[in-house]
Structures are given as structure tokens and as C-alpha cells.
């Protein structure tokens, strides 16, 4: 089973700043099947990025994903007030298991 | 509108059972694999189970294998999760989810809370 590690656990930034979130896998993620989800308090997660770098429908272009193999990055180019949330990476594919990382909280500095 | 709506959560005693349902609408339910994901209070997301479109294959992590059963009724556009031998560690919000445009989970329900306590 692939184990995902996210860093940092918490990121304290101001609106307008750039956020860089890291996700590292214990073994290579097949075919780049790596997703990023955003979750706000009391809400369901929302898919942001799939296939390591493809934005999901309706996701603003300030969100971008990159990486391959075992190292992946989510970048938010300029933080908007609504972007302060918890972000989870997830490895998926054509069959389970589908594991999540522990999350990175992006909070207002 | 594509929608997933969970129900069936509630308070159950340790050792008890509960069945969750997830009603799907707005897409051809029978064409897609479906999953359950849970989130304990203040914790992260944990994948719980997946069932293939035809119900031919089911998958579970070790934490619930042998205690939870996933099933679906494609005629009713409904996904189920039967949970037995529940413990306090199963207390969580349970989400159903699926991937329509991608294998990733691009559609999520709003979740249903399961509390295991005496």
C-alpha cells in the first residue's frame, strides 16, 4: 500500500501570497494517478487536481499541480480569502486501495 | 444536476450495526464504481470501500475488512454500506464519492455522521 506524506502540516500565509504544498509517496504513483482535494470546515472535499496536473472542472487557474513518481506539488499562485482550507493529496487509479495524505492546513497569517 | 445524498447515520452502541445509503442522481449510476470515505472528528480522510460498477468487485482496507460490506442496487441508483461490530474508532462522517470525469473522486456527497458510543 502506498503511504502519502504531506508537508508542511500547517502553512501560515497572507492573501495574495503564493502557497506551495508538498505530497510525497512511499513508492511511485502509477501513471501519475495523484489528486488534490480541498476541504473547508463542515463541507465535503472538492476535487481540485487529478492526474497530478489537470485541473478539475471549474477550478481557477491559480491552482496548479505538478510532479511525478513519488514527489508532487500543489501550488496556489495568489491566495484568495476562500482558499484558506485543508488540502489533501490522494493516490488513486483503476483499482483500490485509494489512500489519502494527512492534509496540509493553509491558514491566514 | 449530479448529486449524491447519504443517509442512515446516527448513534449506535459499540458492537452494533448500521446501514448507510447513498442515493445518486443526475448521471448513469450503473456505469461507475462507487466508494465510501470517512473522516473521524478533527482528523483526515480515510478510504473505506469501493465497489465496481457491476458489483463484481469490492475492496476494503484492513481497518474495516470483515466488518463492513458494500453493495449497490443499480435499479434504485443507490449505494449501501453495511457496518457491523462497530467500535468507537468507527465514529466519523461517512461520505460517498465517485469519479465521473476521471478515476479520481470528482463527486462527493455531503456526508452522514455515525457516532458509536454507549
Amino acid at each position: 500500500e502506498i503511504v502519502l506524506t504531506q508537508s508542511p502540516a500547517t502553512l501560515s500565509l497572507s492573501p495574495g501570497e503564493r502557497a506551495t504544498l508538498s505530497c510525497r509517496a512511499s513508492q511511485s504513483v502509477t501513471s501519475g494517478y495523484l489528486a488534490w482535494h480541498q476541504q473547508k470546515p463542515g463541507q465535503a472535499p472538492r476535487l481540485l487536481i487529478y492526474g497530478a496536473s489537470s485541473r478539475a472542472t471549474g477550478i481557477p487557474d491559480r491552482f496548479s499541480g505538478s510532479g511525478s513518481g513519488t514527489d508532487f506539488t500543489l501550488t496556489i499562485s495568489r491566495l484568495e480569502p476562500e482558499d484558506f482550507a485543508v488540502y489533501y493529496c490522494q493516490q488513486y487509479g483503476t483499482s483500490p486501495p485509494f489512500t489519502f495524505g494527512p492534509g496540509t492546513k493553509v491558514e491566514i497569517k | 444536476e449530479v448529486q449524491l445524498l447519504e443517509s442512515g447515520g446516527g448513534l449506535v452502541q459499540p458492537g452494533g450495526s448500521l446501514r448507510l445509503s447513498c442515493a445518486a442522481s443526475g448521471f448513469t449510476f450503473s456505469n461507475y464504481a462507487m466508494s465510501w470515505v470517512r473522516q473521524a472528528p478533527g482528523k483526515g480522510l480515510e478510504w473505506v470501500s469501493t465497489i465496481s460498477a457491476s458489483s463484481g468487485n469490492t475492496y476494503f482496507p484492513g481497518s474495516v475488512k470483515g466488518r463492513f460490506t458494500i453493495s449497490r442496487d443499480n435499479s434504485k441508483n443507490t449505494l449501501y454500506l453495511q457496518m457491523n461490530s462497530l467500535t468507537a474508532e468507527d465514529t466519523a462522517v461517512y461520505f460517498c464519492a465517485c469519479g465521473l470525469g476521471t478515476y479520481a473522486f470528482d463527486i462527493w456527497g455531503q456526508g452522514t455522521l455515525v457516532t458509536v458510543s454507549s
Side-chain angles (χ1 to χ4, degrees):
Chain A
E1 177 181 317
I2 296 177
V3 176
L4 300 178
T5 304
Q6 292 186 241
S7 61
T10 303
L11 197 52
S12 298
L13 295 169
S14 300
E17 289 193 297
R18 181 184 188 90
T20 302
L21 289 66
S22 174
C23 176
R24 179 162 291 178
S26 59
Q27 56 187 282
S28 184
V29 176
T30 304
S31 302
Y33 283 141
L34 192 287
W36 291 91
H37 300 269
Q38 175 195 66
Q39 188 180 33
K40 298 178 182 179
Q43 295 185 17
R46 177 176 72 147
L47 178 68
L48 299 176
I49 301 288
Y50 65 94
S53 60
S54 298
R55 273 188 299 277
T57 302
I59 302 304
D61 59 8
R62 64 179 181 273
F63 291 93
S64 63
S66 62
S68 63
T70 60
D71 289 295
F72 299 89
T73 300
L74 174 70
T75 301
I76 310 171
S77 59
R78 286 177 55 85
L79 282 164
E80 297 288 342
E82 62 269 26
D83 299 337
F84 291 92
V86 180
Y87 294 83
Y88 295 95
C89 60
Q90 180 203 6
Q91 69 88 21
Y92 65 97
T94 57
S95 64
F98 303 142
T99 51
F100 291 89
T104 290
K105 181 179 181 180
V106 178
E107 64 176 22
I108 298 177
K109 186 173 181 180
Chain B
E1 178 190 6
V2 173
Q3 192 171 12
L4 298 174
L5 187 62
E6 302 94 336
S7 61
L11 176 64
V12 59
Q13 292 190 337
S17 299
L18 205 60
R19 189 177 84 155
L20 306 182
S21 299
C22 171
S25 59
F27 65 100
T28 306
F29 178 75
S30 59
N31 286 353
Y32 297 95
M34 297 293 298
S35 297
W36 290 96
V37 175
R38 69 183 178 183
Q39 185 170 39
K43 303 298 184 181
L45 302 171
E46 180 188 15
W47 167 71
V48 170
S49 186
T50 295
I51 186 168
S52 63
S54 64
S55 303
N57 294 296
T58 61
Y59 306 88
F60 305 89
S63 58
V64 307
K65 197 169 189 176
R67 300 189 299 121
F68 288 13
T69 303
I70 189 172
S71 61
R72 64 193 295 162
D73 186 336
N74 287 343
S75 68
K76 294 183 178 179
N77 292 341
T78 302
L79 173 72
Y80 303 101
L81 185 68
Q82 177 67 43
M83 305 184 293
N84 299 330
S85 303
L86 287 163
T87 73
E89 287 65 45
D90 297 313
T91 294
V93 174
Y94 285 73
F95 298 98
C96 61
C98 65
L100 298 188
T102 164
Y103 288 120
F105 298 159
D106 56 4
I107 305 297
W108 293 78
Q110 88 292 344
T112 187
L113 176 63
V114 172
T115 303
V116 183
S117 174
S118 55

